[in-house]
Amino acid sequence: MSVRRGPFWDGVEGRAPMPRAARTLGLEFLAADPEQGTIELAFTATEDFTNPVGNVLGAFLSAMLYDTVGPALLATLGPEEFQSTLELKVTFHHPTRPGRLTARGRVIRREGDLAFLEATLLDAQDLTVATASATARVIALADAEGAV
């Protein structure tokens, strides 16, 4: 099997450092199926992510979902391609406490350089705590600086 290359694969396979935001969220790569356009990740929500009553802030859950939909697409791209998120919609289903959260993302469809994505964030009991849908544009890696 050939070695996959590109910003996503270089990060998860240790050839490049993980982005600082991903490290802050405790991102852990679990699996990806580029042919199916699916990915599974885990995140660690710490006490630092909580509101005054001890629940994880929605902004952190949104960041975890953002860091799932993008990599779902990135895992399918070539080494000279990247993605720019155009739109992200998050729905919160249940409050969640600090701990390990699992994220499942997928590319729903791709039309030219546009991709439609979705992700689900689950707690340790497999309860869906938040979901997201997103639209992204595939761009050249060289054009990625300054992209969202």
Side-chain angles (χ1 to χ4, degrees):
M1 182 174 172
S2 66
V3 175
R4 300 281 314 229
R5 296 261 177 217
F8 170 77
W9 292 108
D10 291 348
V12 299
E13 293 180 0
R15 294 186 296 267
M18 290 294 281
R20 289 185 293 210
R23 286 195 317 262
T24 298
L25 296 171
L27 185 146
E28 176 189 348
F29 174 75
L30 300 176
D33 184 337
E35 287 73 35
Q36 294 296 315
T38 61
I39 194 166
E40 187 168 0
L41 305 169
F43 296 93
T44 302
T46 69
E47 295 287 336
D48 293 334
F49 297 0
T50 61
N51 63 20
V53 296
N55 292 323
V56 177
L57 284 167
F60 286 100
L61 300 176
S62 297
M64 292 173 190
L65 288 163
Y66 182 86
D67 245 5
T68 301
V69 294
L73 178 58
L74 287 173
T76 70
L77 301 180
E80 298 303 318
E81 295 178 301
F82 202 67
Q83 68 92 33
S84 179
T85 305
L86 302 174
E87 174 265 341
L88 177 74
K89 178 186 183 293
V90 176
T91 303
F92 304 106
H93 299 274
H94 295 282
T96 191
R97 305 302 269 189
R100 183 180 168 94
L101 300 170
T102 304
R104 296 186 184 115
R106 74 182 185 110
V107 178
I108 297 172
R109 74 180 188 279
R110 184 165 165 193
E111 297 175 6
D113 65 348
L114 288 180
F116 303 90
L117 316 162
E118 69 179 14
T120 302
L121 194 59
L122 305 130
D123 68 10
Q125 290 74 43
D126 280 334
L127 179 68
T128 298
V129 297
T131 55
S133 61
T135 306
R137 183 176 310 280
V138 176
I139 61 174
L141 181 59
D143 296 335
E145 189 174 312
V148 177

